[in-house]
Structure formats: structure tokens, C-alpha cells
Amino acid sequence: MVVETGVDLVPKPIEAGPEMDALRRFYPDCTWEGRIHEGGMGPGTPAMDGIGRATFEPIQDGRWLAGDFEQDQFLDDGTYVLTWKLHWVSGWAPRYGEYRASMVDDYGNADVYRGYIEADRLVFESMPDAPVRLRFTWDASRPDVIVWRNEMVQPDGSWFLIEEYPMVPV
């Protein structure tokens, strides 16, 4: 006689698959230096220099990758403005058949993004109903650096480049 316990009826966590293997190459621990364009942090904000760093680690048995970002920002004369901090979690979401990411930062932002990999580029965009539409691109076509871009949709529907950095693996 077989006694049924119901254990086999409980859904099990997903396994990390080839989608996560493909994602990992875009997320090395890294540093960067670059420029935040005038207006990049809102209308009337000055251009600034950014010096940043990020670390990544797999979580939940490799099903997601969590990244912690920090960027110090300075005016042209070297005056320190702020240190921006962000926590980013991304991975493959089989329910949606695409990559998904969530982020929270020290401005109180909490958003979800959808993404895809196209050859050497990883692209995440805000959800269609987001109050501010952003697009983040990681370009890994060069072996020694990943070029990261942060863009925002303008009222006319075009994309405005906020910042772009060569992220150098450490």
C-alpha cells in the first residue's frame, strides 16, 4: 500500500539554467569613471563626474544575481556632491520568458525591469507603465571592459543619454 503525503504536489523551485549562464558574463565585479551629462539627474542639474564600483553574487542557488552599486559624484571643480547606492537583482523569469530585474536605491526608488540579451549586449528597460522610463545597456563586445549606458525617455519618445561608463573588471 502506497501512502500519499502530498509532497509531490508541492511546486519545486526552478533550477538555474542556460539563461543564467548567459547573464553572468555581464556582471563582473568592476569599477568605473565617467561623466553624468547635464540634466541627467533631472532638469537643471549640472554635469558631474562619477567614480563607481559594483560587486555581484549569485543568490538562491544561482537563480538570481544580486549586485550592489555605489557611485561618488563630483562637480567639475572637484566638489563632492553625493554617493549614490543601488541594489540590483536580476535573473531569468520563466513565467514571462524573459529576464527580469528589480532595483532599489537610496533615493527611495523601487522598480522592476524587463530584459533581453542580443549577441554581446544585455538590455533592461522599465516596464511600460513606469513614471520614468529608463534603459540600461551592458555591452560586452570588448574582452577587457563592459560599456554600460543609462538612458531616459524624453517627452517626444526619444532616448536621452544620462551616462555611459567603461566598467573594468577587478
Side-chain angles (χ1 to χ4, degrees), residues 91-161:
W92 182 252
R95 176 183 301 165
Y96 302 105
E98 64 187 10
Y99 291 98
R100 289 286 174 108
S102 63
M103 67 74 97
V104 293
D105 72 7
D106 56 359
Y107 282 90
N109 295 311
D111 292 304
V112 175
Y113 298 84
R114 57 193 323 180
Y116 59 92
I117 294 175
E118 184 176 80
D120 290 324
R121 292 176 13 145
L122 168 66
V123 179
F124 276 98
E125 290 188 17
S126 303
M127 301 305 275
D129 61 347
V132 176
R133 297 281 323 273
L134 297 172
R135 177 170 60 196
F136 308 117
T137 304
W138 287 258
D139 183 334
S141 58
R142 293 175 43 194
D144 59 333
V145 68
I146 294 174
V147 177
W148 180 79
R149 293 175 61 90
N150 174 7
E151 301 168 280
M152 176 176 54
V153 166
Q154 299 190 89
D156 68 1
S158 65
W159 290 96
F160 167 73
L161 178 62

Side-chain angles (χ1 to χ4, degrees), residues 10-120:
V10 177
K12 304 297 186 276
I14 66 166
E15 296 293 324
E19 298 87 0
M20 291 306 296
D21 293 335
L23 187 62
R24 282 185 189 91
R25 70 183 282 232
F26 296 97
Y27 293 144
D29 292 352
C30 59
T31 61
W32 63 88
E33 292 185 26
R35 192 85 168 140
I36 301 159
H37 294 281
E38 183 178 332
M41 294 196 61
T45 57
M48 290 178 275
D49 293 320
I51 300 172
R53 59 222 152 263
T55 58
F56 294 90
E57 70 175 286
I59 60 172
Q60 298 180 1
D61 299 321
R63 292 177 193 92
W64 299 96
L65 289 168
D68 286 306
F69 293 72
E70 286 190 3
Q71 178 171 284
D72 301 321
Q73 295 176 196
F74 303 88
L75 296 179
D76 287 342
D77 66 3
T79 302
Y80 169 81
V81 178
L82 60 89
T83 298
W84 165 81
K85 297 178 182 182
L86 172 125
H87 185 70
W88 176 265
V89 176
S90 65
W92 182 252
R95 176 183 301 165
Y96 302 105
E98 64 187 10
Y99 291 98
R100 289 286 174 108
S102 63
M103 67 74 97
V104 293
D105 72 7
D106 56 359
Y107 282 90
N109 295 311
D111 292 304
V112 175
Y113 298 84
R114 57 193 323 180
Y116 59 92
I117 294 175
E118 184 176 80
D120 290 324

